[in-house]
């Protein structure tokens, strides 16, 4: 007979126990929900939520540039997948759906980065609506990449360079 141990605290588990006697963790065979919760609450996922999917706070030029570059790279990969999928087989459709989800996540993350960058130059996030006008869009992004943030604290938070 093989010894079983609690996945959370490592305590030895006796036969047919449903909960760990030391920490109370559920020992059911199907803990997939717990695994999903662990992944979603991991430090990496919290960092992604905070750095890419939050519109609150400020973001200075350097992280804005590098994060935007990463998002552009992921979007280009999605464009390549969109262009290359021609068959109607299950793999191609699955690949297309996954790339659509990734693309939508990239667009949302890009908007959040833009809003936080606008906050750094002490502008409202609503200025992002200027990108609807095609003639304004290149100048808007040039402004975001080149304009230094406001010195000190502003209404959107502390200076990110001072942190």
């Amino acid at each position: 007979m093989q010894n079983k141990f609690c996945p959370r605290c490592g305590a030895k588990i006796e036969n047919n126990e449903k909960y760990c006697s030391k920490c109370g963790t559920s020992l059911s065979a199907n803990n997939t929900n717990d695994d999903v919760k662990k992944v979603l609450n991991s430090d990496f996922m919290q960092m992604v939520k905070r750095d890419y999917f939050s519109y609150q706070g400020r973001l200075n030029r350097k992280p804005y540039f590098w994060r935007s570059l990463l998002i552009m790279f992921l979007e280009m990969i999605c464009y390549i997948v969109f262009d290359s999928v021609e068959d109607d087989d299950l793999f191609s459709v699955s690949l297309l759906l996954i790339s659509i989800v990734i693309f939508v996540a990239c667009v949302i993350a890009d908007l959040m980065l833009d809003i936080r960058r606008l906050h750094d130059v002490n502008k409202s996030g609503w200025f992002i609506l200027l990108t609807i006008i095609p003639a304004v869009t290149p100048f808007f992004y040039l402004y975001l990449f080149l304009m230094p943030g406001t010195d000190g604290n502003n209404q959107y938070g502390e200076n990110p360079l001072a942190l």
Side-chain angles (χ1 to χ4, degrees):
M1 182 172 147
Q2 188 177 7
N3 291 333
K4 292 185 178 182
F5 298 94
C6 175
R8 185 171 184 196
C9 69
K12 187 175 180 182
I13 305 299
E14 300 298 326
N15 292 338
N16 300 325
E17 286 188 27
K18 294 183 180 184
Y19 298 96
C20 175
S21 58
K22 185 174 180 183
C23 69
T25 301
S26 173
L27 302 173
S28 63
N30 188 4
N31 274 341
T32 56
N33 287 339
D34 292 341
D35 294 339
V36 170
K37 287 178 186 177
K38 285 178 188 176
V39 169
L40 291 177
N41 292 326
S42 68
D43 291 339
F44 174 75
M45 289 303 291
Q46 294 302 319
M47 182 269 307
V48 169
K49 288 178 194 175
R50 181 190 68 236
D51 291 348
Y52 290 93
F53 294 101
S54 172
Y55 62 87
Q56 296 176 338
R58 296 171 58 179
L59 185 66
N60 63 348
R61 288 179 287 183
K62 186 176 180 180
Y64 175 73
F65 173 77
W66 289 112
R67 292 173 189 172
S68 295
L69 195 65
L70 173 67
I71 289 172
M72 253 191 306
F73 177 73
L74 290 173
E75 287 173 341
M76 283 192 307
I77 291 173
C78 290
Y79 283 131
I80 291 169
V81 170
F82 294 157
D83 193 42
S84 65
V85 173
E86 295 176 2
D87 300 333
D88 288 337
D89 64 340
L90 183 62
F91 177 74
S92 296
V93 172
S94 301
L95 190 62
L96 185 64
L97 289 175
I98 290 170
S99 58
I100 288 172
V101 169
I102 292 171
F103 182 77
V104 169
C106 286
V107 168
I108 292 170
D110 191 31
L111 289 172
M112 296 299 120
L113 291 176
D114 294 345
I115 290 171
R116 289 177 53 213
R117 182 69 187 118
L118 282 165
H119 288 173
D120 192 42
V121 294
N122 208 20
K123 303 283 185 227
S124 170
W126 288 104
F127 277 94
I128 195 71
L129 294 176
L130 289 173
T131 60
I132 294 172
I133 306 167
V136 174
T137 303
F139 300 106
F140 176 81
Y141 283 108
L142 192 63
Y143 175 79
L144 289 182
F145 279 115
L146 298 178
M147 187 69 178
T150 56
D151 290 332
N153 299 342
N154 67 18
Q155 64 181 346
Y156 300 104
E158 297 179 15
N159 186 356
L161 294 175
L163 298 177

